[in-house]
């Protein structure tokens, strides 16, 4: 399946991407909070700062890593980044001091960006939405299965859980040695950084109507992160097993829908309407979830969320690809990923503040309204921005 979608080279990137996201999901969602509090005796505010430090370095370095991909070989950039991540995981066992715990989490964030941006630069134009669907499937399975496996292992041994994450981080680093020693496709070392930034500034000016969606969609998701577990327990009356069923329903629908919906987007065109439908349906599902419906309705709504997300993602990234300068793909995707990452950093703070002031249900309501407004906004978005003709311009 992988070789038919991309070719043999991307099979290696897909494996590394899966392992990287598995460890990321396991570390951030499950391991760091439990290990930091119960094993290292750190306070929750220090743990929160550490997780923020991870996302901060991941987001801030995306643009720089993109530039490096345009200047140095893929193997060098990915291998160096994964080594930094390996060092970050290794340092956790010695991180009784808050500053070292925060530093370790930040170091782990350094290695996340390269492999994802490399995968984006390897996607072909004629099957972009379908291939993006495949990459998001790999990403989603990795980051979703990591916390599930970790939660089970933590019931038995924190030490063995840590060594599993350390071993997988080491495996990622070793696998990166087999990456071909070449620059990212379309990289031009002869073009100065200043000229590249001028080109990208012009692209950002043309895509200014996309910027709200880039920031707000990740902000909306980030708003939900701090409150979902407590909302499921306090408002929906769910225990841990029921909440797991809810997450699996949404995750399974997302994974099942990404590739076929990406293929449908490629075949039918009309990516604009895939975006509009995806945003509006996510907004509607979140609104109805905020009303605390019965269990079976929650499962249905979560499935709708998963399918809506699968509808949105491939078309959204195919649209963004129209604004990436062909000769500066690494830098272009790095900047766009950085813009999207801003929303991911802001979201948890906004969600936590809203939950404190107005309650957990209000967070889902506001997030749902925001997604719906984004969808309705893009109904009036000019059709020409969704055409592939702009991609070849520099």
């Amino acid at each position: 399946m992988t070789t038919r979608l991309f070719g043999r080279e991307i099979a290696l990137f897909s494996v590394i991407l899966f392992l990287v996201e598995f460890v990321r999901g396991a570390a951030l969602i499950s391991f760091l909070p439990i290990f930091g509090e119960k094993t290292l005796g750190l306070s929750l505010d220090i743990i929160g700062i550490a997780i923020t430090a991870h996302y901060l370095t991941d987001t801030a370095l995306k643009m720089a890593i993109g530039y490096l991909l345009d200047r140095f070989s893929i193997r060098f950039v990915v291998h160096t980044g994964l080594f930094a991540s390996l060092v970050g995981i290794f340092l956790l066992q010695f991180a009784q001091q808050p500053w070292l715990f925060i530093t370790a989490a930040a170091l782990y964030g350094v290695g996340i960006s390269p492999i994802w941006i490399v995968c984006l630069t390897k996607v072909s134009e004629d099957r972009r939405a379908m291939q993006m669907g495949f990459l998001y499937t790999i990403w989603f399975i990795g980051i979703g299965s990591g916390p599930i496996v970790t939660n089970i292992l933590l019931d038995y041994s924190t030490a063995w859980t840590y060594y599993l994450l350390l071993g997988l981080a080491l495996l990622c680093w070793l696998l990166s040695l087999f990456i071909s020693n070449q620059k990212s496709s379309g990289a031009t070392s002869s073009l100065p950084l200043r000229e590249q930034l001028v080109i990208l500034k012009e692209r950002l000016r043309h895509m200014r109507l996309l910027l709200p969606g880039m920031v707000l969609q990740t902000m909306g998701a980030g708003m939900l992160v701090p409150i979902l577990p407590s909302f499921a327990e306090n408002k929906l009356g769910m225990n841990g097993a029921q909440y797991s069923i809810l997450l699996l329903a949404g995750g399974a629908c997302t994974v099942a829908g990404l590739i076929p919906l990406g293929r449908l987007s490629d075949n039918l065109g009309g990516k604009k309407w895939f975006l509009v439908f995806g945003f509006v349906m996510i907004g509607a599902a979140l609104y109805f979830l905020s009303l605390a419906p019965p269990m079976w309705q929650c499962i249905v709504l979560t499935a709708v969320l998963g399918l809506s997300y699968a509808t949105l993602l491939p078309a959204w990234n195919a649209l963004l690809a129209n604004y990436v300068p062909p000769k500066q793909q690494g830098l272009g995707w790095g900047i766009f990923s950085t813009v999207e990452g801003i929303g991911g950093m802001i979201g948890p703070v906004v969600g936590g503040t809203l939950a404190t002031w107005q309650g957990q249900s209000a967070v889902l309501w506001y997030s749902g309204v925001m997604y719906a407004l984004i969808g309705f906004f893009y109904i009036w978005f000019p059709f020409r921005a969704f055409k592939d003709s702009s991609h070849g311009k520099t």
Side-chain angles (χ1 to χ4, degrees):
M1 178 66 174
T2 306
T3 55
R4 289 200 302 268
L5 277 172
F6 294 94
R8 295 184 181 277
E9 183 184 35
I10 202 65
L12 176 60
F13 289 121
S14 299
V15 172
I16 297 174
L17 176 65
F18 170 79
L19 293 175
V20 165
E21 294 299 338
F22 181 96
V23 177
R24 189 226 281 261
L28 295 183
I29 298 175
S30 298
F31 185 75
L32 283 181
I34 295 175
F35 181 73
E37 182 180 12
K38 295 185 177 180
T39 303
L40 300 179
L42 300 174
S43 60
L44 292 178
D45 58 340
I46 295 299
I47 295 171
I49 293 172
I51 294 176
T52 299
H54 166 87
Y55 282 115
L56 182 62
T57 54
D58 176 27
T59 301
L61 288 173
K62 276 188 170 74
M63 183 170 65
I65 289 172
Y67 174 70
L68 291 174
L69 284 171
D70 286 336
R71 293 283 173 163
F72 300 100
S73 71
I74 295 173
R75 182 199 297 170
F76 173 80
V77 177
V78 174
H79 189 64
T80 303
L82 291 177
F83 180 73
S85 289
L86 176 60
V87 172
I89 295 293
F90 177 77
L91 289 176
L92 284 175
Q93 60 186 310
F94 309 107
Q96 289 84 3
Q97 297 298 321
W99 70 267
L100 186 55
F101 187 75
I102 294 170
T103 300
L107 271 176
Y108 182 64
V110 173
I112 303 299
S113 301
I115 187 64
W116 179 245
I117 295 177
V118 165
C119 288
L120 292 178
T121 65
K122 296 293 181 181
V123 171
S124 62
E125 297 310 312
D126 56 336
R127 292 183 294 174
R128 175 167 290 275
M130 182 174 64
Q131 291 177 351
M132 287 304 305
F134 173 78
L135 288 176
Y136 268 106
T137 301
I138 295 294
W139 167 78
F140 198 87
I141 293 175
I143 204 167
S145 59
I148 294 174
V149 173
T150 301
N151 285 334
I152 296 173
L153 290 177
L154 283 171
D155 288 337
Y156 297 94
S157 173
T158 301
W160 282 110
T161 306
Y162 168 75
Y163 288 124
L164 171 66
L165 300 184
L166 182 63
L168 291 178
L170 176 61
L171 178 59
C172 290
W173 181 63
L174 293 175
L175 286 175
S176 67
L177 289 172
F178 296 95
I179 295 174
S180 61
N181 194 25
Q182 62 182 17
K183 291 184 181 179
S184 178
S185 60
T188 54
S189 58
S190 60
L191 193 61
L193 174 61
R194 179 173 297 181
E195 292 185 26
Q196 295 188 41
L197 293 177
V198 169
I199 293 172
L200 288 165
K201 180 180 179 181
E202 182 67 14
R203 290 299 173 99
L204 287 171
R205 186 180 66 83
H206 285 299
M207 64 180 293
R208 59 188 178 275
L209 291 178
L210 280 178
L211 296 179
M214 293 177 70
V215 175
L216 293 180
Q217 67 166 310
T218 52
M219 177 179 167
M223 287 169 60
L224 303 176
V225 171
I227 62 99
L228 274 183
S230 57
F231 176 80
E233 179 181 358
N234 300 331
K235 301 297 182 181
L236 302 181
M238 294 183 179
N239 56 34
Q242 291 172 323
Y243 182 53
S244 297
I245 292 173
L246 202 66
L247 294 178
L248 287 173
C253 288
T254 303
V255 170
L258 277 170
I259 293 178
L261 287 169
R263 183 182 293 114
L264 187 65
S265 175
D266 284 333
N267 293 337
L268 296 182
K271 294 180 176 64
K272 168 177 180 173
W273 298 108
F274 280 80
L275 293 182
V276 171
F277 179 81
F279 278 124
V280 171
M281 290 305 297
I282 288 175
L286 287 175
Y287 169 75
F288 286 113
L289 274 175
S290 72
L291 302 179
M295 177 69 179
W296 71 269
Q297 291 184 20
C298 290
I299 294 176
V300 172
L301 289 171
T302 306
V304 171
L305 277 173
L307 287 174
S308 302
Y309 198 51
T311 302
L312 167 68
L313 279 178
W316 176 256
N317 282 278
L319 172 60
L320 289 184
N322 291 330
Y323 296 90
V324 177
K327 295 182 179 180
Q328 297 87 39
Q329 289 193 32
L331 183 62
W333 281 113
I335 289 178
F336 296 163
S337 297
T338 302
V339 173
E340 289 183 317
I342 292 172
M345 288 189 295
I346 297 173
V349 177
V350 175
T353 303
L354 281 175
T356 301
W357 288 354
Q358 301 187 25
Q360 298 162 349
S361 299
V363 180
L364 274 79
W365 188 88
Y366 282 114
S367 180
V369 169
M370 187 166 62
Y371 273 110
L373 289 176
I374 295 171
F376 286 122
F377 173 79
Y378 284 123
I379 291 178
W380 291 277
F381 196 78
F383 272 100
R384 64 180 180 274
F386 288 79
K387 295 179 181 179
D388 294 335
S389 59
S390 65
H391 181 76
K393 299 176 183 177
T394 58

